[in-house]
Amino acid sequence: MQGRWTRVVRTPLGLTATVLVVAVVALAVLGPVLWGSGAGAVDTDAILAPPSAEHLAGTDNLGRDILLRVLVATRLSIVLALLAITIAVVCGLVLGSAPFVLGRRSGRLLAAGVNIAVAFPGLLLALFFAVVFGVGATGAVLAIGLAGAPAFARLTQTLVAGVVARDYVAAAQAMGIGRLRILVRHVLPNIAEPLVVNATIGAGSALLSFTGLSFLGLGVQSPSYDWGRLLYDGIATIYVNAAAALVPGAAVLLAGLAFNLFGESVAKGLGVPAGIGLGAVVPGRRAVPVDAPAPAGRTAAADRPSDVVLDVRDLEVTVPGPAGPVRPVRGVSFDVRRGEAIGIVGESGSGKSMTALAITRLLAGRGRVDAARLEFLGQDLLAPDTAVRRRTLGTTLAMVFQDPMTAFNPTRRIGAQLAEVATHHQGMTRRAAAARAVDRLAAVRIPDAPARVRQYPHEFSGGMRQRAMIGMGLMGSPALIVADEPTTALDVTVQQQVLDLLTAIRRADDVALVLISHDVTVVGEVCDRILVMYAGRIVEDLPAADLVTAARHPYTRALVDAVPDMTTDLAEPLATIPGRPVDPADVPRGCAYADRCPLAGARCRAEDPPLVAGPDGPPGHRVACWHAGEPLPAPAGRDYDELVESP
Amino acid sequence: MSELRFDDVTVRYGRTAAVDGVSLAVPPGAVVGLVGESGSGKSTLARAAVGLAPIAGGRITLGGVPVPARGRSRPLQMVFQDPYSSLDPRMTVGASVAEAMPPGGSRADRRAEVERLLELVHLNPACAGAVPARLSGGQRQRVALARALAARPRVIVADEITSALDVSVQGAVLNLVRELQRELGLSMLFISHNLAVVRYVASHVAVMRRGRLVEQGPAARVLTEPGHEYTRELLAAVPGRTTRRSRP
């Protein structure tokens, strides 16, 4: 919290705005004390004098110094503006939060009233109220305050609605806590920040409105004076002494700007951190480290078997983080052969999705991809993008995302979105592309495909959308499908259909599959080979058949044991992994898993184990662990889960 | 100890019946697993039980009397799916738990009770001063459990409490649920779409589809000899059914 406020001051704009606001407030406090008598001093010898060394901005029709009067007027102008904005905020809060307290029916009526009030122009309302409340400062304050209220009511209403939808409000209701109490304890604290920001900006516009009203003669009346009043007086003599109008004008401008900029920079500072740039985001090619462990089954590029679809060596991904570049993928090497299904499993933050985005070149401007080699069907993916390569990738590489709702454009028909792939990459005519879209939807077992292509994404169920997404990948003739948590958002029965579909496509056309999931059971069922990722590295690479019976890394074994299946022993507690995953911004020395590992020793904390095949194991089973395959000790009875410090 | 009963409960949103004439009993001290696909109405049934969704027909009773939907005494408590949304980010963990406790008692008593509850869910009592942002998802879900327990409920409704968690954390939360149930003799309505998870914690299983209950009975029977076609379909879809487990 504190950190975010200091961030506001740290930007040049934020600093300037803060200094301006502090200066204006200081002037409002000190002005009348220092120059009060000077500003009131009548000098009949110098009536309407032009600017001089004695009166820097000249004098008014009673010979009073205009600069001093402007400085002194700061207090009244600011106080009136703040009073008005307070009225606006308080009324807005009451009106905006009332719908939640009152319940559905009367709340809806009130909300409708507020919505109508918002539609009236603010200044018109202010003029209306000024007439109702009479000419003078009180009337003007009420007028501007009440005219500002609907906007705040609307804002509050929206913010309250957002917080009320959260589960902690539902939990409080389930506890039997009254609505008013929920409002005060749970809702208001969570909407305070945006309200404060908007109130600050509102103070600036209240100041301007006030000046406007005073200038029109509807605001402050003589002998009191604020900036608007001084402006009104100054305009009358603008041809005699321009400074008389310009100085109060400049004061209004500066103060208004101060409040507005302060509000803006607070809003910006409290928002999402901008992050630290990486410089030019270009793919880089790293020198191949001499001691880099070669992926299983081959040693050099020369004797590369021709059936390798995807070849990844020493892949690294770097993304900007709040405290400097973060490396979520740290040296990942693997290859995928034709028709092979590779599963990548790991907890959130293990770098599995980043790996997928890096190999499909979808990381774009969000991060930097480095690798000793990154080849797809023999094409270098690190080379600069060309039209030819885009076409090849567009037709031979398919990506399936977790949330198919956001992966489709909701405003276009499914068929058109599928056909676009074919017209764009394969140069098909629109008619041929449309026919292929129908054919492909049928191929992913969407019933009544000719009618379905004319529907929009929201008319498809979740599972159907995911199948359509796969169908989109099949518009070309893919050699590789990369699926990132394709079934996580789906029900079990639908999940099974999607997994079966992926398997069928793989069998039919010898398509390779990279399936990314947090669920070892899903991956174990569909894939041939499994890569287990932890803290941006592959810690084990093993055949899927060995996952349950012959996993050698303590993390893999814990992951398998932690998930209950239909044969889990009900008498025993499930295995758990103590602690929490490594923060990619702060990867420890040595083995990243050491802190959570029951086998960890001094060597684990000092040296990061390489990913190698075991001396007695099969060459296709690689593991990165100094204690691979050692028996795990009985789980120690940990009493508490430690409190984890914030990063 | 008393039984939570749903008698012919119907919940409507507009014209559609999200829950359509469901009758279900949660016997004292038992964990009833409620499974079904999304949109089957299982979460709506849970929300209706704690008074968060209005019922259009039928009755929900606890020990023969209707579940109170007003006032501070709430014998039914709910734990939500998303631990990132179910705790007030501006409140310390201790304050969140204390809020759910019945009013009364000295400040020291209340603090001691908060510490007892946090220990019960295997959290360090020092956590009480922390805000949720400092806790992991699994830890937050434990705080949510402690908060539900603080209200001294007779039944806890757990709505997909592990589905937003990493698998490594899910195990710890499931162990805790079983332990609490055994030690405190809690009754629980445990909602999940994951049959393996339900099998692990529940003694009874009820299957919902399109707002209706299609099958219910002891877990051992429903999960091994399903009577309804839909239950068979659900069982067939459980991933990993082809693999055999053996502890190394």
Side-chain angles (χ1 to χ4, degrees):
Chain A
M1 198 57 236
Q2 246 100 35
R4 293 201 285 169
W5 283 100
T6 51
R7 206 161 60 217
V8 172
V9 187
R10 243 185 252 151
T11 61
L13 183 69
L15 188 65
T16 317
T18 312
V19 167
L20 271 178
V21 165
V22 168
V24 168
V25 170
L27 202 59
V29 173
L30 299 175
V33 181
L34 294 179
W35 304 298
S37 54
V42 176
D43 182 0
T44 42
D45 294 337
I47 288 172
L48 294 177
S52 63
E54 205 181 332
H55 304 289
L56 285 177
T59 58
D60 66 1
N61 52 8
L62 285 175
R64 294 173 293 198
D65 186 90
I66 285 174
L67 182 63
L68 288 186
R69 284 172 74 79
V70 168
L71 291 176
V72 171
T74 311
R75 180 184 282 183
L76 188 63
S77 306
I78 299 295
V79 166
L80 289 177
L82 290 183
L83 272 178
I85 197 68
T86 310
I87 291 176
V89 170
V90 170
C91 292
L93 267 181
V94 171
L95 283 176
S97 47
F100 169 67
V101 180
L102 291 179
R104 204 178 294 171
R105 196 160 301 165
S106 31
R108 207 175 279 171
L109 210 66
L110 195 68
V114 167
N115 287 345
I116 292 171
V118 169
F120 279 102
L123 198 61
L124 198 68
L125 274 184
L127 286 173
F128 170 73
F129 283 126
V131 173
V132 172
F133 293 118
V135 173
T138 325
V141 165
L142 285 171
I144 293 173
L146 293 180
F152 271 94
R154 191 76 180 81
L155 177 70
T156 311
Q157 209 175 303
T158 314
L159 292 172
V160 168
V163 173
V164 163
R166 311 282 290 179
D167 284 342
Y168 55 81
V169 173
Q173 283 177 311
M175 285 171 213
I177 293 171
R179 281 173 176 266
L180 203 60
R181 210 174 146 78
I182 291 178
L183 183 74
V184 174
R185 294 200 67 166
H186 294 291
V187 180
L188 291 186
N190 283 299
I191 64 172
E193 252 166 45
L195 277 183
V196 167
V197 169
N198 274 281
T200 320
I201 297 175
S205 30
L207 186 78
L208 292 182
S209 315
F210 227 103
T211 309
L213 281 190
S214 288
F215 180 72
L216 293 173
L218 294 169
V220 175
Q221 302 297 313
S222 276
S224 308
Y225 54 97
D226 69 343
W227 287 333
R229 184 77 212 174
L230 291 176
L231 198 59
Y232 176 67
D233 292 341
I235 285 288
T237 59
I238 193 158
Y239 295 115
V240 183
N241 176 11
L246 291 181
V247 171
V252 171
L253 187 77
L254 266 180
L257 212 60
F259 281 117
N260 273 323
L261 288 182
F262 184 66
E264 299 271 354
S265 42
V266 167
K268 213 176 278 174
L270 296 182
V272 191
I276 292 161
L278 282 167
V281 180
V282 285
R285 188 184 304 273
R286 298 186 319 129
V288 187
V290 184
D291 58 345
R298 61 198 178 77
T299 46
D303 57 337
R304 178 180 343 147
S306 57
D307 68 341
V308 170
V309 175
L310 180 71
D311 185 3
V312 181
R313 182 82 74 90
D314 277 312
L315 176 73
E316 286 194 353
V317 177
T318 317
V319 295
V326 173
R327 190 167 298 160
V329 179
R330 308 177 298 139
V332 161
S333 303
F334 64 95
D335 49 30
V336 184
R337 285 150 204 279
R338 186 161 291 284
E340 190 180 29
I342 300 273
I344 304 183
V345 282
E347 289 172 273
S348 38
S350 62
K352 53 192 195 307
S353 289
M354 280 293 175
T355 306
L357 292 176
I359 57 186
T360 46
R361 306 300 296 140
L362 288 172
L363 211 53
R366 282 175 293 160
R368 175 189 168 120
V369 177
D370 295 291
R373 184 159 63 224
L374 183 57
E375 288 181 3
F376 173 64
L377 292 177
Q379 285 199 47
D380 187 2
L381 292 182
L382 292 173
D385 203 16
T386 61
V388 176
R389 198 187 77 188
R390 268 204 304 277
R391 175 167 304 170
T392 328
L393 283 187
T395 52
T396 53
L397 178 68
M399 175 93 190
V400 181
F401 298 94
Q402 173 172 349
D403 183 359
M405 191 65 220
T406 56
F408 278 112
N409 179 346
T411 62
R412 297 187 59 207
R413 294 176 205 278
I414 291 275
Q417 297 191 51
L418 258 68
E420 192 178 27
V421 179
T423 49
H424 190 78
H425 289 304
Q426 291 155 283
M428 277 194 193
T429 62
R430 288 180 58 165
R431 184 181 296 268
R436 181 149 176 90
V438 174
D439 176 60
R440 295 291 85 188
L441 279 191
V444 293
R445 302 176 197 161
I446 287 183
D448 198 16
R452 283 286 183 174
V453 287
R454 302 195 50 76
Q455 290 186 326
Y456 289 93
H458 72 265
E459 295 174 88
F460 278 49
S461 69
M464 201 111 71
R465 271 199 294 270
Q466 198 60 292
R467 272 180 272 167
M469 188 79 222
I470 297 171
M472 192 188 241
L474 295 180
M475 287 299 285
S477 41
L480 174 68
I481 299 177
V482 178
D484 185 5
E485 303 268 10
T487 61
T488 306
L490 305 176
D491 282 311
V492 264
T493 42
V494 185
Q495 160 171 299
Q496 195 57 42
Q497 292 163 10
V498 171
L499 293 179
D500 286 347
L501 175 66
L502 284 174
T503 310
I505 291 168
R506 202 158 72 76
R507 296 255 161 78
D509 296 323
D510 229 10
V511 180
L513 174 70
V514 172
L515 178 69
I516 291 159
S517 178
H518 68 281
D519 192 338
V520 278
T521 48
V522 165
V523 169
E525 189 177 304
V526 174
C527 298
D528 307 321
R529 201 147 61 85
I530 290 173
L531 309 174
V532 182
M533 280 190 76
Y534 189 78
R537 277 175 174 272
I538 296 177
V539 295
E540 186 157 14
D541 168 0
L542 74 169
D546 290 351
L547 181 64
V548 175
T549 49
R552 302 181 69 224
H553 197 286
Y555 178 64
T556 315
R557 288 192 270 167
L559 217 48
V560 170
D561 282 342
V563 187
D565 64 19
M566 298 310 279
T567 56
T568 304
D569 185 355
L570 294 181
E572 285 198 39
L574 292 169
T576 58
I577 307 175
R580 65 158 45 165
V582 169
D583 180 357
D586 183 26
V587 180
R589 256 187 73 194
C591 173
Y593 185 58
D595 279 346
R596 304 171 78 183
C597 180
L599 299 174
R603 189 179 184 193
C604 302
R605 294 197 163 80
E607 282 178 73
D608 204 355
L611 183 66
V612 287
D616 44 353
H621 188 161
R622 298 181 297 159
V623 60
C625 180
W626 297 122
H627 299 279
E630 287 179 19
L632 293 171
R638 264 201 191 210
D639 270 356
Y640 300 134
D641 197 9
E642 289 153 41
L643 176 65
V644 185
E645 291 298 322
S646 59
Chain B
M1 275 301 161
S2 40
E3 187 180 53
L4 173 68
R5 285 194 76 88
F6 296 85
D7 280 318
D8 199 23
V9 172
T10 300
V11 181
R12 287 180 191 285
Y13 289 127
R15 279 194 182 168
T16 49
V19 175
D20 190 1
V22 167
S23 296
L24 176 68
V26 181
V31 177
V32 174
L34 184 58
V35 297
E37 60 196 0
S38 44
S40 63
K42 50 192 199 310
S43 286
T44 306
L45 190 68
R47 296 180 78 90
V50 294
L52 291 173
I55 42 180
R59 302 199 317 149
I60 304 176
T61 56
L62 186 63
V65 291
V67 176
R70 287 177 180 279
R72 270 311 304 257
S73 164
R74 298 293 180 98
L76 235 71
Q77 283 299 316
M78 182 157 168
V79 181
F80 296 84
Q81 172 174 6
D82 182 4
Y84 292 89
S85 146
S86 68
L87 296 177
D88 187 337
R90 295 300 165 98
M91 261 192 181
T92 63
V93 162
S96 278
V97 173
E99 189 182 32
M101 289 172 5
S106 70
R107 186 173 281 219
D109 286 347
R110 293 175 77 84
R111 190 178 309 143
E113 174 70 0
V114 167
E115 290 186 358
R116 187 187 72 82
L117 288 163
L118 290 178
E119 280 192 51
L120 196 64
V121 296
H122 300 275
L123 282 172
N124 190 330
C127 274
V131 287
R134 286 175 64 196
L135 305 182
S136 69
Q139 288 172 325
R140 286 174 199 226
Q141 206 55 300
R142 280 180 231 196
V143 174
L145 264 170
R147 180 179 59 185
L149 292 172
R152 313 238 171 91
R154 283 187 279 170
V155 182
I156 284 189
V157 179
D159 186 9
E160 298 272 14
I161 58 171
T162 62
S163 59
L165 303 176
D166 258 314
V167 283
S168 59
V169 183
Q170 165 179 290
V173 173
L174 292 179
N175 285 343
L176 178 66
V177 164
R178 280 177 24 133
E179 191 184 310
L180 290 175
Q181 194 272 328
R182 260 203 311 270
E183 286 175 10
L184 310 177
L186 272 180
S187 321
M188 200 180 268
L189 182 62
F190 189 94
I191 298 172
S192 177
H193 67 277
N194 187 330
L195 281 171
V197 165
V198 166
R199 173 183 170 274
Y200 191 67
V201 296
S203 52
H204 293 64
V205 173
V207 184
M208 263 185 101
R209 185 180 204 195
R210 293 181 190 151
R212 289 176 172 278
L213 217 53
V214 297
E215 181 165 11
Q216 60 174 315
R221 184 190 65 71
V222 174
L223 298 180
T224 50
E225 311 153 30
H228 193 276
E229 180 55 34
Y230 180 62
T231 316
R232 274 194 283 276
E233 223 174 278
L234 278 180
L235 277 169
V238 174
R241 66 189 188 281
T242 51
T243 55
R244 277 277 159 262
R245 159 176 307 252
S246 63
R247 265 172 193 279

